[in-house]
Amino acid sequence: MSVSPIDYLVGVDGGGTGTRVRIARQDGTTLAQASGGPSGLSLGIATAWRTIQDAVAAAFAAAAIPQPPLQRIAIGLGLAGVHNREWAAAFVDADPGYGALVLETDAFTTLLGAHDGAPGAILAIGTGSVGEVLQADGSRREVGGWGFPAGDEASGAWIGLRAVNHIQQVLDGRREAGAFADAVIAHCGGSRAAVQVWLGRATPATYAALAPLVLRHARETSDTVARAILLDAGQEAGNLARALDPEGSLPLALCGGLATSLRDYLPQGLSSRAIAPKGDSAAGALRLVAQHLAIHPIEPRR
């Protein structure tokens, strides 16, 4: 009697802020999910694997399933930092022994999840930002995703950086103070010296933590600076969308933690045609590994 060597599928969405893991049976039935800390490859290969392994264990615990041997698990991963081929190769080389492993960018797994694997485009806006499109002929293309601070336009980190630049000018006397600037200065320590210390420790996630302040002041106090930052973010998101699909012929899903909040600041034509994603990046990672097994089946054990 032959027994399939793969009993479970695992989908991983790993970024610079957090990690989501979803497990499913081989037939695709979802069993449980769990979350953990950041697992973007820029944080180090050992850190990424440790975070992912802890989250996988937590997901099996949530499903009340004893942790199976890794060789019985096929894992699909969409991780931030995969564009760096050296990091990606080192990550795969450090595979702790999964029965099958497929590694992709978190942008591509977000795309697969958003449209259930069908042609379409996505704008993923969270701590960072990226756009990706899958054409009907199977070709794909990515726009943005260059990373902070050189890229990631419209992202939480980009918005936070703009807010910090504003308070630098306020503290210098180059721009007028206001409730918005006061709130950002307080968040960053309350004084010029404290802001300098904050800057020395800041990461993309630290900058992105300022985005809710910008959104709140644009919405509740109609602060012109906060609103201008968000309108600029909307224009940058529009530039990404036009570069992905100039004709606007494909469905466009807005994904990521900031996508919904920025919808009101997008150019009119973009906001009117944007749709909610059908699934998330973890769902896309599960689809990725299932597709891999369909094309590269593993011989059953006897």
Side-chain angles (χ1 to χ4, degrees):
M1 176 180 178
S2 64
V3 180
S4 171
I6 299 298
D7 297 321
Y8 300 100
L9 307 181
V10 171
V12 179
D13 170 29
T17 304
T19 299
R20 286 178 296 171
V21 166
R22 194 164 297 142
I23 59 173
R25 296 197 187 278
Q26 195 179 26
D27 64 5
T29 303
T30 300
L31 297 172
Q33 63 181 22
S35 59
S39 58
L41 298 187
S42 65
L43 301 172
I45 303 306
T47 297
W49 268 121
R50 183 167 55 251
T51 300
I52 290 165
Q53 290 292 81
D54 288 347
V56 169
F60 277 105
I65 297 172
Q67 173 86 49
L70 293 185
Q71 60 266 30
R72 291 172 52 197
I73 302 171
I75 188 169
L77 308 105
L79 303 182
V82 169
H83 296 97
N84 186 311
R85 294 184 180 182
E86 291 183 357
W87 292 348
F91 181 84
V92 173
D93 287 345
D95 174 9
Y98 283 95
L101 182 151
V102 192
L103 177 64
E104 261 291 356
T105 65
D106 52 348
F108 187 60
T109 53
T110 298
L111 178 64
L112 289 178
H115 300 291
D116 284 343
I122 57 114
L123 282 181
I125 305 174
T127 300
S129 67
V130 67
E132 184 139 356
V133 62
L134 178 65
Q135 302 285 357
D137 63 4
S139 62
R140 51 183 276 210
R141 190 164 65 90
E142 185 176 281
V143 171
W146 291 100
F148 182 82
D152 281 354
E153 295 88 348
S155 70
W158 184 90
I159 289 170
L161 180 62
R162 295 286 299 273
V164 170
N165 181 254
H166 174 62
I167 65 167
Q168 290 170 347
Q169 295 183 51
V170 169
L171 288 167
D172 282 350
R174 290 179 282 158
R175 298 192 70 171
E176 291 186 6
F180 170 57
D182 290 345
V184 177
I185 291 169
H187 179 98
C188 297
S191 68
R192 181 186 180 94
V195 172
Q196 294 281 11
V197 173
W198 186 94
L199 288 169
R201 298 172 178 171
T203 66
T206 313
Y207 280 102
L210 288 168
L213 268 180
V214 182
L215 288 161
R216 184 164 70 250
H217 278 269
R219 180 178 63 251
E220 296 178 2
T221 69
S222 299
D223 185 272
T224 56
V225 175
R227 183 169 175 78
I229 291 172
L230 296 178
L231 287 171
D232 285 348
Q235 288 298 322
E236 293 291 351
N239 293 339
L240 290 169
R242 283 188 294 274
L244 284 169
D245 181 21
E247 304 299 324
S249 59
L250 291 168
L252 173 72
L254 296 180
C255 308
L258 273 179
T260 300
S261 299
L262 280 180
R263 190 177 192 118
D264 291 343
Y265 301 95
L266 298 174
Q268 180 59 40
L270 179 60
S271 62
S272 62
R273 77 180 183 90
I275 62 173
K278 295 178 180 177
D280 59 14
S281 180
L286 279 173
R287 179 177 290 274
L288 176 73
V289 71
Q291 290 175 344
H292 173 81
L293 291 176
I295 298 171
H296 307 284
I298 298 174
E299 291 299 319
R301 300 187 301 266
R302 295 187 181 275

